[in-house]
Amino acid sequence: MLSFSGYEWTTSTGPIFHAGSRNFFDSANVWVDKSGALHLRISGSPEKWSAAEVKLSRSLGYGTYRFRVEDTSHLEPSAVLTLITWDGVGTERNRRELDVELSRWGFADNTNVHYVVQPYYVPVNFVRFREPPGVFTHSFRWEPGQVTFSTMTGSGDAAGDRLINQHVFTSGVPSPAGQTVRLSLYVFVRGRVPLKHETEVIIDKFEYLP
């Protein structure tokens, strides 16, 4: 267990499948620094990577979920940072999942941010765009039958912060049923450009507004 942004989180351990890739999660790859920021790390080597994940200890339901993330432009194409709600009880095709994915999914020239209402293979459930270097606040406002994803520069509510992208989904939006927030940094092992180096991301703050 660890405390981050006023909430209690558990760390994932052992082999876990994410996006079709088998990853080994190690709690040593997760920590909170003196300023209260959460660090997630991929460690090891190409022969055996270990990843990082934390899971919120309780379900929050409808509302606004905000994640302030330090610059991720250093991430290699096959590194994946996901900021999601996820139901561990459902089937793989019905995890009641809402995703902000920060990754190029193994392609050097791919877009690096995806908004997803799972399942991703339904065209109206998926939006992609390219984010420049910098600090950004990613959020989604989850309501009955609708979810609005947004990406803002900086903290998202300071003077001068700008809206980078926004999209409203009205198809396939799940209802609350035990989903919890999961913050994960892992390796997409089927990427065309394999991961070569250890890496780390910093999430400054998580905020939930009913």
Side-chain angles (χ1 to χ4, degrees):
M1 296 288 294
L2 58 83
S3 179
F4 167 57
S5 287
Y7 293 89
E8 296 301 314
W9 307 74
T10 58
T11 57
S12 296
T13 58
I16 300 174
F17 286 91
H18 276 282
S21 296
R22 184 182 179 91
N23 278 259
F24 184 85
F25 286 85
D26 187 345
S27 59
N29 287 333
V30 180
W31 69 94
V32 175
D33 65 26
K34 292 181 179 179
S35 70
L38 177 71
H39 294 243
L40 302 176
R41 181 170 176 79
I42 295 171
S43 63
S45 67
E47 289 72 35
K48 186 177 181 181
W49 295 116
S50 62
E53 181 178 72
V54 294
K55 172 187 173 183
L56 195 62
S57 60
R58 62 189 178 95
S59 181
L60 300 175
Y62 290 131
T64 298
Y65 296 71
R66 290 162 50 94
F67 313 85
R68 190 168 73 225
V69 182
E70 290 291 319
D71 186 15
T72 59
S73 62
H74 63 284
L75 292 179
E76 295 180 53
S78 288
V80 183
L81 173 65
T82 56
L83 318 169
I84 72 173
T85 60
W86 192 79
D87 181 3
V89 177
T91 66
E92 284 300 327
R93 293 190 177 185
N94 185 24
R95 296 291 192 185
R96 301 175 181 270
E97 186 175 339
L98 304 173
D99 297 4
V100 177
E101 303 172 343
L102 306 178
S103 179
R104 286 179 281 162
W105 295 103
F107 290 89
D109 298 323
N110 202 5
T111 52
N112 59 358
V113 184
H114 299 159
Y115 300 152
V116 189
V117 175
Q118 295 289 353
Y120 70 90
Y121 49 78
V122 177
V124 296
N125 289 5
F126 185 91
V127 167
R128 65 176 74 190
F129 63 97
R130 190 176 299 278
E131 173 188 272
V135 177
F136 293 91
T137 295
H138 304 278
S139 66
F140 53 85
R141 175 67 183 172
W142 182 22
E143 305 169 89
Q146 175 176 297
V147 58
T148 303
F149 285 82
S150 303
T151 297
M152 297 281 296
T153 59
S155 65
D157 51 17
D161 286 343
R162 296 179 296 107
L163 180 67
I164 298 298
N165 202 356
Q166 185 175 78
H167 187 81
V168 180
F169 294 93
T170 57
S171 176
V173 176
S175 57
Q179 299 96 321
T180 56
V181 175
R182 292 177 185 242
L183 312 176
S184 309
L185 180 66
Y186 61 94
V187 182
F188 183 57
V189 298
R190 296 186 296 177
R192 188 167 293 180
V193 182
L195 193 74
K196 296 179 181 179
H197 304 99
E198 296 183 330
T199 194
E200 180 181 324
V201 298
I202 300 173
I203 301 174
D204 291 324
K205 185 178 181 181
F206 164 74
E207 186 177 17
Y208 168 74
L209 304 171

